[in-house]
Amino acid sequence: MPELRIDPLTGLRTIVAADRGQRPGGGWRIPAPARPDPESDPFLEGHEDRTPPEVFALRPNGGSPDGPGWTVRVVPNLYPSLASADDGEAGAVRDPLASGRGEPDLFPSKPAVGANEVIVNGPGAAGSLLDLEPAQVEIAMEVWRERIRAHDGSAYVHVSLNEGPEAGASLPHTHAQLYALPFVPAAIARERERFTAYWDRTQGRNLLEDLLQEEVRRRERVVAIDAEAVTLCPFASRVPFQLQVIPRRARARFEDDGPLAAGLLHRTLGLLRTALGELPPFNLWVRTAPRGAEHFCWRIDLLPRLTQLAGLEMGTGVNLNVLAPERAAEVLRESA
């Protein structure tokens, strides 16, 4: 029987209906991964003149900016989603709903100011995080952390990674994107409220820490564990093989010092590739605490793009998942 599940972190609902996976056209086909072309790849070491000037780079042996010799490089997005602005310009922008008493503007807008950076995860022609050595993934994620810190004045900083054209990647060379937003998105605000309500209700306990302890006790949705973190398929998974990498010790912010879970993330991607025969296109993001929030715990979310959203998902916000997370976790554990 289909089951309606509620995500304890977000409050979002998912219908788990495994039988729908057997309907005609209900399976999935994983496209061949896109590979960087060494001739046209603007992120390849030696092609630094094909990007905007770098804003940050790791150069372990020294070297000039915007030249070879880097391990991770950060540049402004050539086609930014947010306009840059100095502090004076940003502060001068007023809330479009603030004017009037009970008569807000029906078409509110204001300039979208902030920052949009591209973090190139490695200098070689790697099409995926999985193509990098685990040590290089950790170096790249340290830069993710460093760039979040560099924008600590923003209301929220979102780091995400898209792999494959189906997941929205326009270039196949592995890279993350950073968005320094002047507001806290509704989805993050909702999670902050649930963390805070749980803290108050339990007299100081952390929602994700307690959730993780119960998941480990039950084991049915746990995929892998190491000394730093746990990978699991969440209870109300929105899509088949959705994954979360959660630190074993709760910390509000990814950018704070401590384990990055880079090794377990790399291992998790390997399990996914083994289980499915090919690494599918996917979206990955770091969920960290918004500015000022303390009752929170960071995590990494990974959503494979194996199925397409349809009218139910887009019209109601309720996802329909054709693979129970317990079965997905079992398949991934067996692939080890």
Side-chain angles (χ1 to χ4, degrees), residues 240-254:
F241 294 102
Q242 179 180 344
L243 293 158
Q244 288 179 343
V245 180
I246 303 168
R248 293 180 64 167
R249 182 178 179 183
R251 297 201 329 276
R253 291 171 172 78
F254 176 79

Side-chain angles (χ1 to χ4, degrees), residues 75-260:
V75 299
N77 194 313
L78 189 60
Y79 306 99
S81 303
L82 298 159
S84 62
D86 60 38
D87 293 339
E89 290 173 326
V93 176
R94 297 187 60 196
D95 182 351
L97 300 180
S99 62
R101 296 178 60 85
E103 296 181 1
D105 186 352
L106 293 177
F107 304 102
S109 69
K110 63 179 182 179
V113 297
N116 183 191
E117 298 177 351
V118 174
I119 306 172
V120 185
N121 295 318
S128 170
L129 275 184
L130 188 56
D131 294 337
L132 303 176
E133 294 295 326
Q136 179 64 29
V137 174
E138 183 161 7
I139 292 169
M141 291 177 68
E142 284 282 9
V143 175
W144 299 1
R145 169 182 281 175
E146 179 61 32
R147 295 313 297 168
I148 295 175
R149 291 171 177 163
H151 297 281
D152 61 359
S154 299
Y156 189 72
V157 183
H158 181 70
V159 172
S160 61
L161 184 147
N162 308 322
E163 288 204 0
E166 298 79 7
S170 57
L171 291 170
H173 191 128
T174 177
H175 64 282
Q177 292 215 43
L178 177 145
Y179 302 86
L181 300 171
F183 61 93
V184 179
I188 289 91
R190 183 189 304 116
E191 291 188 25
R192 176 185 58 194
E193 292 166 1
R194 294 179 74 87
F195 271 91
T196 302
Y198 189 84
W199 177 277
D200 292 341
R201 188 168 64 250
T202 60
Q203 299 182 340
R205 300 190 65 84
N206 185 281
L207 172 59
L208 187 51
E209 187 174 35
D210 282 3
L211 178 66
L212 181 61
Q213 289 179 359
E214 183 63 16
E215 289 282 19
V216 171
R217 187 186 71 82
R218 297 190 180 200
R219 295 277 176 169
E220 57 188 346
R221 288 178 291 273
V222 171
V223 174
I225 301 176
D226 70 3
E228 295 185 350
V230 177
T231 298
L232 54 84
C233 294
F235 169 71
S237 292
R238 293 151 59 185
V239 298
F241 294 102
Q242 179 180 344
L243 293 158
Q244 288 179 343
V245 180
I246 303 168
R248 293 180 64 167
R249 182 178 179 183
R251 297 201 329 276
R253 291 171 172 78
F254 176 79
E255 58 269 32
D256 291 344
D257 290 336
L260 290 160

Side-chain angles (χ1 to χ4, degrees), residues 48 51-59 64-67 70 73-76:
E48 292 78 14
T51 70
E54 66 193 40
V55 296
F56 180 89
L58 288 181
R59 299 177 183 278
S64 302
D66 297 312
W70 51 274
R73 187 166 179 260
V74 184
V75 299

Side-chain angles (χ1 to χ4, degrees), residues 9-41:
L9 299 178
T10 67
L12 296 177
R13 288 164 170 79
T14 294
I15 297 171
V16 178
D19 284 351
R20 283 186 59 80
Q22 309 303 317
R23 74 191 191 282
W28 48 73
R29 182 187 64 83
I30 301 174
R35 299 296 181 190
D37 177 4
E39 295 299 321
S40 61
D41 182 3

